[in-house]
Amino acid sequence: AQSVSQHNHHVILSEAASLELGCNYSYGGTVNLFWYVQYPGQHLQLLLKYFSGDPLVKGIKGFEAEFIKSKFSFNLRKPSVQWSDTAEYFCAVNDRYSSASKIIFGSGTRLSIRP
Amino acid sequence: DAGVIQSPRHEVTEMGQEVTLRCKPISGHNSLFWYRQTMMRGLELLIYFNNNVPIDDSGMPEDRFSAKMPNASFSTLKIQPSEPRDSAVYFCASSSEWTGSGNTEAFFGQGTRLTVV
């Protein structure tokens, strides 16, 4: 069965620190990969996505993620976080070629930034 | 496009009452998802539809929950009777199938915050 694991439940950093959030998925087929962000009191919004090409994907607000197929990983990174990055981050995956594929979300990582 | 539209944004109801949440997906999207989010359980997929047909409802907590999608532009999630433990934020999301362009991500609505007292 498809699954997504986010091992960090809560990460606390100071401003300007570097960030890396882990994401591993379990699926045997071809997948699309996503990172979503949910700011406090808001809905989930897409940060970035990977479906083909360069495995290093750049998203909004200085975020990037690297797809490592051999490790089934899609970790999210940012070189220098800001207080405004305080949010919950969700990794997600779906089957690329299935017309009826559901999007599987990880359990989320809460990121708290100390000013 | 206005995005995924959910109504109401907030709902407060008494235990035992029927609650209906509504969702209008993005035009042209053929998949629709209902999620529930709570502090305790995180983000849970309740049910999803593809081309208006329910594909997987294994996440629906119990028979008190039902969902319909009578056409491509409208879906409802109904709870009858409602209980305090149903209090949560309910999100609707929609997506389109792979066409080679890579646009299969889910777009979320603003959510409905349900409080059952």
Side-chain angles (χ1 to χ4, degrees):
Chain A
Q2 299 173 28
S3 66
V4 177
S5 297
Q6 293 182 245
H7 303 293
N8 311 108
H9 296 294
H10 189 193
V11 173
I12 303 172
L13 296 172
S14 298
E15 276 195 312
S18 64
L19 169 72
E20 181 159 3
L21 302 182
C23 172
N24 288 90
Y25 68 94
S26 172
Y27 185 68
T30 303
V31 297
N32 300 312
L33 296 154
F34 311 93
W35 274 98
Y36 284 81
V37 60
Q38 185 179 29
Y39 298 105
Q42 296 190 26
H43 63 293
L44 277 75
Q45 304 168 57
L46 186 70
L47 256 186
L48 50 78
K49 62 183 178 183
Y50 170 81
F51 57 95
S52 66
D54 189 344
L56 184 62
V57 180
K58 295 193 182 299
I60 60 172
K61 304 188 181 186
F63 286 91
E64 64 180 30
E66 185 174 13
F67 171 49
I68 303 179
K69 189 174 181 180
S70 61
K71 295 184 178 180
F72 295 88
S73 70
F74 190 55
N75 292 355
L76 181 70
R77 300 194 293 248
K78 186 171 183 177
S80 176
V81 295
Q82 302 172 306
W83 179 80
S84 58
D85 294 325
T86 295
E88 188 151 16
Y89 293 81
F90 294 89
C91 183
V93 62
N94 72 351
D95 182 328
R96 181 175 306 171
Y97 298 118
S98 170
S99 62
S101 172
K102 62 182 176 182
I103 298 175
I104 308 293
F105 283 86
S107 56
T109 297
R110 186 155 62 99
L111 176 64
S112 300
I113 306 296
R114 292 189 290 250
Chain B
D1 199 314
V4 177
I5 300 173
Q6 291 186 248
S7 64
R9 290 292 307 278
H10 301 274
E11 176 82 36
V12 180
T13 191
E14 291 185 347
M15 183 174 64
Q17 296 297 307
E18 177 181 296
V19 175
T20 300
L21 311 181
R22 297 172 177 79
C23 175
K24 181 180 187 307
I26 292 174
S27 177
H29 282 188
N30 65 330
S31 290
L32 182 140
F33 309 84
W34 281 102
Y35 292 90
R36 177 172 69 176
Q37 188 176 39
T38 61
M39 288 290 291
M40 291 295 294
R41 303 170 76 96
L43 190 67
E44 303 173 273
L45 176 64
L46 300 178
I47 185 172
Y48 81 101
F49 296 84
N50 182 256
N51 294 326
N52 313 336
V53 175
I55 302 298
D56 184 352
D57 65 354
S58 60
M60 296 286 261
E62 48 197 276
D63 292 346
R64 296 185 297 107
F65 285 70
S66 62
K68 293 182 180 179
M69 192 163 185
N71 58 62
S73 58
F74 185 64
S75 176
T76 59
L77 178 68
K78 186 178 292 187
I79 309 172
Q80 165 65 15
S82 58
E83 296 182 4
R85 61 194 168 116
D86 301 330
S87 298
V89 180
Y90 291 81
F91 288 104
C92 176
S94 69
S95 69
S96 58
E97 63 185 350
W98 176 259
T99 58
S101 64
N103 296 323
T104 65
E105 66 266 30
F107 292 80
F108 282 76
Q110 298 283 338
T112 295
R113 182 173 295 277
L114 173 65
T115 303
V116 183
V117 298

